[in-house]
Amino acid sequence: MNRREITKREIMASVAIIAVMLIIGSIFYSEIVQSAADANEKYNTAIKIEKSDIFAYGMATNVGNAFVYGELKAVKPVGCKGVNGKYIRIIKIEEHYNMHEETYTTTDSKGNKKEKTRIYWSWDYAGKKVKQCKKIVFCKQKFKIEKIILPENKYLKTIKVSRKKRYKYYGVKDTLKGTIFTELKNGTILNRSPFYESNIKETVDYLENSFPTWMFWIFWIALIAFVVYGFYSAENKWLD
């Protein structure tokens, strides 16, 4: 296979492409850095609350952004037969053990192709049921469960009911301790406030470092390399 010769005009054009991409990247990077700085300022100026009476007072007086640490509990926890304990939410996933056939092609040393069939078994999703309480108490204040984004469901156990059927259980236990970052306003909290299973300092550190800005340049340099490679791979007769 003959390698195509790279012309001087293509080199000059690729340098121009890199320069333009670096300028655009610098603009995007500045926006990302500014956005991160604004978010960090919001986190650093938010009030920190660990007492229920101050939490209630903050909601009543519209104090604005706040980190609140406390205990999160289900008002009426839910459970499931065969699974010990009580939960804010529990998910029962049904799986079936199914047989599958897969056709694939092989090629021998002489270039002859032959179709073969492979049979394999796997546990496949077959539906789920979700049970969760309707109300929760956070830092001794009652809310609808929709007010707080619960942490990720954790695996609980697997119950095999037959050779080809099983249930896998995931859930959020009925009592947790952690932090929410929210806005205290109109006697309540901002809708859909995430719950972090950590104290206030750990939560602030996590939010301030959730997107390392240097990762942008790794992505952008890879994109520049891809664009330049695509440019060289194309037939650039318009440069002649």
Side-chain angles (χ1 to χ4, degrees), residues 12-41:
M12 293 175 63
S14 65
V15 170
I17 290 171
I18 293 171
V20 171
M21 291 287 287
L22 286 174
I23 292 171
I24 296 172
S26 297
I27 295 171
F28 285 157
Y29 180 73
S30 297
E31 292 293 328
I32 291 171
V33 170
Q34 185 59 52
S35 177
D38 293 343
N40 289 345
E41 183 180 2

Side-chain angles (χ1 to χ4, degrees), residues 11-210:
I11 294 173
M12 293 175 63
S14 65
V15 170
I17 290 171
I18 293 171
V20 171
M21 291 287 287
L22 286 174
I23 292 171
I24 296 172
S26 297
I27 295 171
F28 285 157
Y29 180 73
S30 297
E31 292 293 328
I32 291 171
V33 170
Q34 185 59 52
S35 177
D38 293 343
N40 289 345
E41 183 180 2
K42 182 171 65 173
Y43 300 145
N44 291 323
T45 56
I47 63 172
K48 280 71 175 176
I49 298 173
E50 297 188 22
K51 294 183 178 180
S52 60
D53 56 342
I54 298 177
F55 181 36
Y57 179 78
M59 290 189 292
T61 56
N62 302 335
V63 297
N65 294 325
F67 286 95
V68 187
Y69 176 81
E71 186 177 68
L72 177 68
K73 296 180 66 175
V75 173
K76 292 182 179 180
V78 297
C80 219
K81 186 179 179 181
V83 180
N84 295 329
K86 295 294 182 179
Y87 301 88
I88 297 175
R89 177 174 62 212
I90 191 166
I91 299 175
K92 176 183 178 182
I93 296 178
E94 183 176 338
E95 294 181 339
H96 294 171
Y97 197 54
N98 299 322
M99 184 182 75
H100 304 275
E101 285 190 5
E102 180 183 63
T103 301
Y104 63 99
T105 303
T106 60
T107 305
D108 61 21
S109 59
K110 296 181 179 180
N112 299 316
K113 295 183 178 181
K114 185 177 180 180
E115 283 195 350
K116 293 185 177 181
T117 301
R118 179 173 73 94
I119 296 176
Y120 66 96
W121 293 77
S122 66
W123 287 102
D124 302 322
Y125 175 81
K128 72 177 180 180
K129 292 182 179 180
V130 180
K131 292 173 67 177
Q132 67 178 20
C133 63
K134 294 183 179 180
K135 293 186 178 180
I136 52 174
V137 171
F138 175 68
C139 203
K140 298 184 180 180
Q141 306 298 317
K142 188 181 289 188
F143 302 98
K144 292 182 179 180
I145 194 170
E146 293 80 13
K147 282 284 186 179
I148 293 180
I149 300 174
L150 297 174
E152 185 178 350
N153 300 302
K154 294 181 179 178
Y155 170 76
L156 302 175
K157 70 182 299 185
T158 298
I159 297 178
K160 196 172 181 180
V161 295
S162 69
R163 190 171 65 88
K164 293 185 178 181
K165 184 178 178 179
R166 71 182 183 185
Y167 297 114
K168 297 184 79 172
Y169 295 86
Y170 298 82
V172 178
K173 60 185 181 179
D174 67 331
T175 302
L176 303 166
K177 281 191 175 181
T179 302
I180 62 171
F181 175 67
T182 188
E183 184 179 2
L184 308 185
K185 189 176 181 180
N186 299 328
T188 187
I189 62 175
L190 184 71
N191 282 328
R192 306 293 290 161
S193 300
F195 182 85
Y196 304 94
E197 293 181 275
S198 54
N199 60 36
I200 291 176
K201 183 181 182 307
E202 291 168 340
T203 302
V204 174
D205 290 343
Y206 169 76
L207 291 173
E208 287 184 342
N209 297 286
S210 58

